[in-house]
Amino acid sequence: MYDVIIVGAGPAGLSAAITCREWDLHVLVIDEFVKPGGRLLGQLHEEPNGEWWNGIEETKQLMDKAESLNTDIRCGISAHHLEKVKDHHFIVHTNKGNFEAKNLLIATGAAETAAPVPGWTLPGVMSIGAAQVMTNVHRVRVGEKGIVIGVNVLSAAIARELQLAGVNLHSMMLPAMNSVTKEHAHPKKVMDGLSRIAHLAPSAFLRFGSRFTKSDFVRKLATQFYPKSGVKMWGMPIHLRKAVTEINGKDRVESVTVFDITADGKLIKGTERRIEVDFVCIAGGLYPLAELAAVIGLPFQYLEELGGHVPVHNKKMETPIDGVYVAGNITGIESAKVARAQGTVAGLSIAKKHVDGKADLDYRLLKAIEQVKTIRNEATIQFHPHISEGREKIEQAFRRIVHS
């Protein structure tokens, strides 16, 4: 019987495990991937202060700390069911047998949303996250020349990582508009998101957007006059007035069909052309990976500010089910730094249930909660606007359910 089982060995899960072990709790961390680190493993970018964020190195630091505390971390284990039993403990059902614990922390992270494009089943088509893992984790070259379909915070960040690895990217473009892709294919809506990372770009046009596109009028104006040749970010054109309508090839990707589009995302007849590429990355964004939270019976709230359906929780990472905690991107799409800080909060909350003399724990928990807010406010990139408002809404939902 473990004090806590943590599902997910990403930044949130590892950070929580370290904190729990510091208080001598009996901890098991499981993850379905072959090595710990989660999304951290593929991350590599330069921050505005000139320092490099290297996800592999960050993972190594977390693992060194976890191993120094004799933390039980097992990879290649998939959890497919969570069960609460009558004597107030939990059973985690996995492909390697069942495990029992007094508490559960679900830190399963996020998954990618695909933006379907005709031809997307051809070999050579992949999600932008898959390209990141193949390149930065497995050191596999995804192709000789490619294109990214979908312009958002995630795709821009990973495109830069691919460039740093020597991958040739022709450009980034929008998907053609349909009932599924309408949020990702409308130039003005995409401009709203792009302006949140413009301060990182070596482009006067995009830096202008970063400073002034708080105005809806200016965003419309910037979209209307967005250069037809695109705006280069790190030497790669980003197109908001071109869309990919089809991925072509017989046995593999050979080209994409592209149209110019209006400021409203409508195809302009007579502008069709083909671009030869041998791989395509599709970027539809991220959503909380919350199936296990649903299996255990946690209530959910849909909040666009947090990236989708999120299990109800409070700032201590507690849920309405006593003994079940959540941390990381399952609680809303944010940076790895925020996820790591949330893991510390969750670990301290769990420790409070099992450790006598809680005065120091109470103080550390309050400081850890404040640290999450600080990291969030100082984040270089925000995946969703109004993240703080979303956090307040989920906190209110928790209070309503607990006090009802």
Side-chain angles (χ1 to χ4, degrees):
M1 174 71 71
Y2 292 92
D3 291 319
V4 56
I5 292 176
I6 299 172
V7 183
L14 291 178
S15 179
I18 290 167
T19 302
C20 288
R21 287 297 299 137
E22 287 175 337
W23 293 93
D24 203 32
L25 299 188
H26 191 202
V27 178
L28 172 64
V29 183
I30 62 173
D31 195 289
E32 65 182 359
F33 195 53
V34 294
K35 59 176 70 174
R39 290 272 176 181
L40 269 179
L41 294 173
Q43 295 180 2
L44 178 66
H45 64 264
E46 187 177 7
E47 301 198 307
N49 62 5
E51 294 181 359
W52 282 88
W53 173 264
N54 185 327
I56 292 177
E57 181 58 33
E58 297 295 328
T59 300
K60 183 178 182 301
Q61 292 177 18
L62 287 170
M63 284 300 297
D64 286 348
K65 182 65 173 175
E67 289 171 356
S68 72
L69 295 167
N70 298 315
T71 310
D72 189 353
I73 300 173
R74 307 184 196 181
C75 293
I77 297 182
S78 299
H80 55 81
H81 183 54
L82 304 178
E83 180 184 3
K84 185 174 183 179
V85 293
K86 291 182 179 180
D87 54 347
H88 304 292
H89 72 273
F90 302 90
I91 300 175
V92 180
H93 299 255
T94 80
N95 62 322
K96 297 292 179 68
N98 298 340
F99 303 92
E100 297 187 44
K102 300 171 186 175
N103 301 279
L104 290 179
L105 170 59
I106 307 174
T108 44
E112 288 190 77
T113 301
V117 177
W120 69 332
T121 58
L122 282 169
V125 181
M126 66 203 77
S127 71
I128 191 73
Q132 181 190 45
V133 171
M134 289 174 68
T135 302
N136 292 345
V137 179
H138 299 300
R139 301 294 195 263
V140 174
R141 192 178 188 86
V142 294
E144 296 301 320
K145 179 184 176 184
I147 194 167
V148 178
I149 303 177
V151 180
N152 53 46
V153 173
L154 180 71
S155 64
I158 297 179
R160 180 54 176 161
E161 294 173 10
L162 297 177
Q163 283 185 318
L164 291 170
V167 176
N168 180 17
L169 290 177
H170 175 276
S171 59
M172 298 175 66
M173 297 186 186
L174 304 184
M177 187 175 290
N178 57 45
S179 60
V180 177
T181 65
K182 56 185 178 182
E183 294 296 319
H184 307 287
H186 196 293
K188 179 184 172 296
K189 292 180 180 179
V190 174
M191 173 66 85
D192 293 349
L194 194 60
S195 65
R196 297 198 300 277
I197 59 168
H199 58 289
L200 301 178
S203 160
F205 185 87
L206 289 176
R207 287 198 301 273
F208 169 86
S210 177
R211 293 178 59 191
F212 298 107
T213 53
K214 291 181 180 179
S215 162
D216 187 64
F217 170 76
V218 174
R219 285 198 299 271
K220 288 181 180 178
L221 194 65
T223 303
Q224 188 71 38
F225 292 99
Y226 196 88
K228 289 186 177 180
S229 60
V231 172
K232 288 188 177 180
M233 181 180 274
W234 306 299
M236 176 188 59
I238 296 181
H239 294 285
L240 298 190
R241 296 294 296 273
K242 297 182 187 295
V244 177
T245 59
E246 190 171 4
I247 302 168
N248 311 302
K250 184 177 180 181
D251 300 315
R252 58 178 178 81
V253 173
E254 298 173 7
S255 68
V256 294
T257 301
V258 175
F259 277 78
D260 291 348
I261 58 175
T262 67
D264 296 324
K266 297 178 181 178
L267 301 182
I268 300 175
K269 293 182 179 180
T271 62
E272 177 182 358
R273 68 188 183 99
R274 286 197 176 197
I275 299 172
E276 291 187 359
V277 293
D278 66 352
F279 74 93
V280 173
C281 298
I282 296 179
L286 298 172
Y287 68 92
L289 189 60
E291 288 85 349
L292 283 178
V295 166
I296 196 67
L298 288 177
F300 280 75
Q301 183 109 350
Y302 180 83
L303 292 169
E304 188 174 343
E305 301 95 327
L306 300 182
H309 288 91
V310 176
V312 173
H313 61 280
N314 64 10
K315 59 187 176 183
K316 297 179 182 179
M317 302 292 110
E318 299 168 328
T319 73
I321 298 179
D322 184 36
V324 179
Y325 303 79
V326 290
N329 276 352
I330 188 177
T331 73
I333 306 303
E334 295 194 73
S335 72
K337 292 181 180 180
V338 172
R340 186 172 59 187
Q342 287 180 326
T344 299
V345 172
L348 290 169
S349 293
I350 295 167
K352 275 191 64 175
K353 292 181 63 177
H354 297 279
V355 177
D356 295 328
K358 299 178 181 178
D360 183 48
L361 260 173
D362 289 335
Y363 173 75
R364 287 185 58 178
L365 180 57
L366 289 174
K367 295 294 288 185
I369 291 170
E370 287 302 313
Q371 181 69 2
V372 171
K373 292 180 181 178
T374 299
I375 293 173
R376 177 175 295 128
N377 292 336
E378 295 176 353
T380 301
I381 295 174
Q382 290 283 10
F383 285 86
H384 293 277
H386 315 302
I387 190 78
S388 295
E389 290 90 333
R391 292 293 174 194
E392 181 57 34
K393 288 179 182 178
I394 204 71
E395 179 85 18
Q396 291 172 1
F398 178 86
R399 288 196 293 265
R400 283 197 303 269
I401 290 172
V402 169
H403 296 140
S404 62

